[in-house]
Each structure stands twice: as C-alpha cells, then as structure tokens.
Amino acid sequence: MRKIEGKNPVIEALKSDAGLDTIYINKEMAESAAVKIAMLAKEKNVIVKYVDKQALARLSEGNRHQGVIAEALEYEYKEIEDIFKLANSKNEKPFILILDEITDVHNLGAIIRTAECCGAHGIIIPKHRAAGVNSVVAKTSAGAVEYLPVVRVTNINQTIEELKEKGLWIYGADMAGEKYIYEEKLDGAVGIVIGSEGKGISRLIKENCDSLIKIPMKGNVSSLNASCAASVIIYEVLRQRGI
C-alpha cells in the first residue's frame, strides 16, 4: 500500500478514483474539511477512520499530512500509449517531459504538478537510479500525479527513439544549448529532457536529442534547480501554444 498525505492530495485522489482503501482523519480536524473528505469517501465506498494525532504521526511518511492520510494501492505506472491517448482526447499535439535520473522526490513531485497544471500529457522516468512515485511525490504534486500519466522505462535512449518515430522533436535542457528556449519552436509535438540535479543530462541522451535549448540567465548563479528549470521551459511551451 502507498500513502497519500494532505487534504488536497487526498481529495484529488478521491476524485480521480485512485484506488483508495482507507482514509485516516484526525478526529480534531476542523469539521468542514473533515466532512468534505468523508462525503467524497462515502460516494467512492472508501473506509474512513477517525484517529488521534499520535496515530497519524505513526502512519505518516513525510510528517506533512495536515490531519489526513489515505492508504491506496501502489501507484500504477502507465504506458507511453496512455500519454498519446490523453493528447488525442484533447485534440492536442503531444507534450512530454522526459526526466533523466531525477533523484529528489520533491523535484519529481513539483515537476509533475507544474506539468499537469500547464497541459503536458505525460512524464517519462527511468526505472533505475531515479526517484519513483511515492507518498512524498503525491503530496508535493498536490494530487496532480493522479491525473498525469507517469511512465517508467528501462532505457531512456530507446524511448527517445520511439518518440521520434511517433513524430516528436526532442529538446534537451542544457546550458550548452545554442538557442534560448524562446528562440526554438516548441508548439508542435515535443519531448523536453530535464537532467539530474547534479550531472544534468547524460552524454548519450544529450547526443540523442534533436536540439539543446537553454534558459536565459543573468545573475551570478549559473544554474537552476531541476524543478525550477523544468517549470520555466514548461511555461514557455504553454506560451507558444497560445495560452
């Protein structure tokens, strides 16, 4: 079982039919918040248990539960075809984030949240040497992980080749890029590769990208946190798509 912690993540998980089993609510929680969650749980036939704050502390994995924790089935990773189905259902060109060994679960959750908010259709992560979806990711994404397909693959380079065959143009975010993000055409079918927190994009994956793009920088610090860099690029894609 995985845990989903926090009011909004639990509410979004209920709305999206995320396979919740039991919800634990602090019996001292404000009545309005508790009633809303309990009503949604009743509609979805999810068990609700009212417990004290000590019990919640024992259950919590991140100690950021806000008085509510849900136990759910393990996250079910999606397939690449699920991403394309989502894009097709919206009559939009696919927009995919490809994360190269992002190891910080907070970064992963933040990227998922921004990507879902801005209309991306999916996230691709590697199976090894990278963060996976857990309770911290669910909390940090504010429930967005229940709506945006996350695909876990064995080989990122092979997946990039598959995406190219499906018509995507693959951009790598790298300060060595020849063009700034606003100088490239990002309103088509695109995949954006975001590198790891310390090393950036690995050499082989960088060589497999169609183009490298960079974010304008002016200050003394020459790089951004992975989730911040991803957010800037995601919003540039959104801007170019006319939103």
Side-chain angles (χ1 to χ4, degrees):
M1 301 289 280
R2 66 186 173 106
K3 292 183 175 66
I4 300 173
E5 303 187 25
K7 297 173 188 175
N8 287 335
V10 170
I11 288 171
E12 295 303 332
L14 281 166
K15 289 179 179 178
S16 66
D17 295 322
L20 301 190
D21 179 74
T22 306
I23 297 175
Y24 299 90
I25 298 177
N26 183 351
K27 55 187 177 183
E28 298 176 3
M29 180 187 285
E31 184 178 351
S32 58
V35 167
K36 181 177 182 179
I37 293 170
M39 287 179 62
L40 281 170
K42 184 177 181 180
E43 292 175 8
K44 304 290 186 178
N45 295 315
V46 176
I47 298 168
V48 174
K49 293 183 179 180
Y50 295 90
V51 299
D52 57 33
K53 59 183 179 182
Q54 289 80 14
L56 283 172
R58 290 192 295 270
L59 285 168
S60 177
E61 295 177 348
N63 199 30
R64 300 174 64 185
H65 52 74
Q66 300 174 309
V68 57
I69 297 174
E71 288 185 335
L73 299 175
E74 290 298 323
Y75 181 78
E76 183 179 346
Y77 289 98
K78 308 303 187 293
E79 301 294 332
I80 289 176
E81 285 307 315
D82 294 318
I83 296 177
F84 285 88
K85 286 178 183 177
L86 179 59
N88 289 336
S89 71
K90 296 182 176 182
N91 197 28
E92 296 172 348
K93 295 175 182 177
F95 170 28
I96 301 173
L97 275 295
I98 304 158
L99 309 185
D100 181 20
E101 297 186 7
I102 297 288
T103 57
D104 188 301
V105 287
H106 295 92
N107 275 336
L108 176 57
I111 291 170
I112 292 172
R113 181 175 184 172
T114 304
E116 202 283 328
C117 285
C118 295
H121 302 109
I123 303 276
I124 295 175
I125 62 175
K127 286 184 177 179
H128 307 293
R129 298 185 299 278
V133 176
N134 62 12
S135 62
V136 179
V137 172
K139 168 68 174 172
T140 309
S141 77
V145 72
E146 309 301 341
Y147 297 100
L148 187 69
V150 178
V151 177
R152 193 161 59 165
V153 300
T154 302
N155 189 301
I156 289 289
N157 258 323
Q158 289 180 3
T159 301
I160 286 175
E161 289 298 331
E162 181 180 343
L163 295 175
K164 287 181 178 181
E165 291 174 3
K166 291 179 178 293
L168 270 72
W169 192 268
I170 307 299
Y171 294 94
D174 191 275
M175 290 309 296
E178 293 185 1
K179 291 186 177 181
Y180 290 113
I181 55 176
Y182 56 82
E183 294 177 319
E184 281 285 11
K185 186 176 176 61
L186 303 176
D187 59 349
V190 297
I192 307 293
V193 182
I194 305 295
S196 67
E197 295 89 346
K199 299 179 294 182
I201 303 174
S202 62
R203 180 181 60 82
L204 291 177
I205 292 177
K206 193 183 298 187
E207 291 174 356
N208 204 14
C209 291
D210 292 304
S211 180
L212 298 179
I213 52 176
K214 59 185 177 181
I215 297 171
M217 303 291 288
K218 187 177 181 180
N220 293 315
V221 178
S222 60
S223 64
L224 292 172
N225 165 282
S227 62
C228 292
S231 295
V232 172
I233 298 171
I234 289 167
Y235 271 96
E236 175 60 20
V237 175
L238 183 64
R239 185 191 71 81
Q240 291 196 23
R241 288 187 171 211
I243 305 295

